[in-house]
């Protein structure tokens, strides 16, 4: 049987580095939450095909993902996410915002996103944006 295709919206840094730009892509439809989010993050890791600048450290991938009944997604990323980050406050914000906006736009029911890495809580990605609490999707629009 053939796999279905669906449209997904990915967010990358704008060319001027001041915000995010959306890029629509046709992706293979995946049957479960983990596979869908892993596919989205792998596409973010690959970077934009058009205008825009990649936001994630190279090699970032999904280890685990969980979505509870209240819309809290816990996203456990590989340690490449924290170990490979280089940048200042704006770069850190854009990396986090691109992840949160991408999964929230493409996974129904996501209202908040908690980021962890390697199965453990992370205080911050680069020393500027705290990661000790979930991000409200509505705050990153």
């Amino acid at each position: 049987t053939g796999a279905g295709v669906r449209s997904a919206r990915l967010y990358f840094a704008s060319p001027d580095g001041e915000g995010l730009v959306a890029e629509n892509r046709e992706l293979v439809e995946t049957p479960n939450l983990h596979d869908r989010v892993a596919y989205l993050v792998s596409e973010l890791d690959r970077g934009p095909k058009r205008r825009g600048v990649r936001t994630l450290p190279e090699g970032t991938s999904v280890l685990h993902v969980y979505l509870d009944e209240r819309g809290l997604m816990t996203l456990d990323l590989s340690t490449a996410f924290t170990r490979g980050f280089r940048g200042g406050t704006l770069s850190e914000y854009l990396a986090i915002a691109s992840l949160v906006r991408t999964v929230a736009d493409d996974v129904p029911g996501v209202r908040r996103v908690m980021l962890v890495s390697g199965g453990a809580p992370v205080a911050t990605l680069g020393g500027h944006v705290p990661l000790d609490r979930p991000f409200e999707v509505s705050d990153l629009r």
Side-chain angles (χ1 to χ4, degrees):
T1 62
V5 176
R6 68 177 183 83
S7 182
R9 180 170 291 182
L10 306 173
Y11 290 90
F12 298 98
S14 61
D16 64 7
E18 295 296 319
L20 296 174
V21 293
E23 180 176 304
N24 292 321
R25 292 198 189 160
E26 296 297 315
L27 302 178
V28 174
E29 181 66 52
T30 54
N32 65 51
L33 177 66
H34 181 274
D35 292 345
R36 175 179 283 185
V37 174
Y39 199 27
L40 291 167
V41 172
S42 72
E43 289 296 305
L44 285 175
D45 185 51
R46 288 179 51 192
K49 292 183 177 181
R50 297 179 190 93
R51 65 187 188 103
V53 179
R54 69 180 291 131
T55 58
L56 298 184
E58 189 173 347
T60 299
S61 62
V62 172
L63 301 177
H64 303 284
V65 62
Y66 177 76
L67 181 61
D68 74 14
E69 67 281 349
R70 295 174 301 165
L72 172 62
M73 175 181 279
T74 302
L75 184 54
D76 185 2
L77 300 168
S78 62
T79 57
F81 177 64
T82 53
R83 291 185 181 162
F85 180 78
R86 304 288 181 267
T89 305
L90 186 55
S91 295
E92 187 173 357
Y93 172 80
L94 292 173
I96 293 163
S98 73
L99 271 169
V100 172
R101 289 189 65 187
T102 296
V103 298
D105 275 11
D106 294 308
V107 178
V110 175
R111 294 178 25 203
R112 298 181 303 144
V113 177
M114 181 74 184
L115 300 174
V116 299
S117 181
V122 179
T124 184
L125 181 58
H128 309 284
V129 180
L131 298 180
D132 61 347
R133 60 188 172 274
F135 291 94
E136 297 287 335
V137 171
S138 60
D139 291 343
L140 299 173
R141 293 277 171 200

